[in-house]
Amino acid sequence: MAGAIGGRRIDVLQELTPEQAQVVLDLIAEAARTDGQPAVSEQGRIQLHGRRAGVRHLLLHDREGEFVGYAQLEDTDPVEAPAAELVVPPAYRGQGHGRALGVALLHESGKRLRVWAHGGHPAARHLAQVLGLSLFRELRQMRRPLGELSTLDIPEPVFPEGVTVRTFRPGEDDAAWLAVNAAAFAHHPEQGSLGQRDLDDRKAQPWFDPKGFFLAERRGGAAGAEGEAEPSRIAGFHWTKVHAAEQLGEVYVLGVAPGAQGGGLGKALTAIGLRHLAAQGLPTAMLYVDADNTAAVTVYERLGFVTYEVDLMYRTEA
């Protein structure tokens, strides 16, 4: 499907060719060098490859046929409005291309739209205002120094009775982890809706390392009358990630099963992950947390994390 806005051509595609995906990735990398962070999230970059249910790609070309912008629209949340991200090459900014993409996104979403502005730059705030969008969500990136493991001010983790920790076994633990992740993040559709394909996509990334993916297991019950013991169950997890180029360690996903919350498991899992990252010689740890999750923000602040930058989400009022 193609359309036109102000003499520009916008192609709306269900799937990109490998060549188109690479062009978009090059654009995202080029813009990130100017902006300080990618305008399209990790999930959005993964979704450039292959057909994804509910995902559309918008390619913008100017009057001369130059590629001057990209937007991605994901309509997979059964309740919330479709979510979008967009990026314009630094050399082509200030010419109305971002607004053209925004108008196209409003049209494609039926004027029910949420848009991420990673980094919360003034130009993004202005575009949101022009499109009639209101601030809806603030996602904080928080960081803290790590330094040497021997001097790290994070004590050895203490786990609740009956809980042991091991690392993730790809293939063998997939289904159990997906189930616990869905339960732990039932209130958070972006994370809680991850499926096998999403997990496989991440396992295929160069940064994936099961040695930094910790599972807390609660021992099963003793054998009953029928002679079968209850199996151990995943009670929580801490999946860390290393950004090698930036020398950053990340608290990538940290979750505790609903029935295991409130006993200090989350704190212990946080500690084991941070100590693992420090042992890799990484100088800094980072994480993302919603600003309105005051309980989590308070916990992370007590662990020495401070706000580094923010991502803002804007949405239509409808």
Side-chain angles (χ1 to χ4, degrees), residues 204-291:
Q205 298 300 308
W207 56 261
F208 177 73
D209 179 6
K211 295 191 295 294
F213 193 162
F214 300 95
L215 304 181
E217 283 189 321
R218 187 176 296 280
R219 288 194 301 268
E226 298 180 359
E228 292 188 5
E230 181 183 344
S232 297
R233 297 181 180 276
I234 299 175
F237 56 89
H238 185 175
W239 187 353
T240 67
K241 177 180 179 181
V242 174
H243 301 261
E246 297 88 350
Q247 281 292 284
L248 276 172
E250 180 178 353
V251 178
Y252 185 54
V253 193
L254 176 68
V256 177
Q261 294 172 357
L265 182 55
K267 180 179 179 181
L269 283 165
T270 303
I272 199 170
L274 290 176
R275 291 178 67 83
H276 167 77
L277 293 171
Q280 310 308 303
L282 297 165
T284 307
M286 61 168 283
L287 56 83
Y288 288 97
V289 61
D290 279 292

Side-chain angles (χ1 to χ4, degrees), residues 301-316:
E301 287 178 339
R302 287 173 179 168
L303 287 170
F305 284 90
V306 297
T307 299
Y308 179 78
E309 64 183 23
V310 298
D311 294 339
L312 303 177
M313 175 176 268
Y314 296 87
R315 71 174 180 181
T316 53

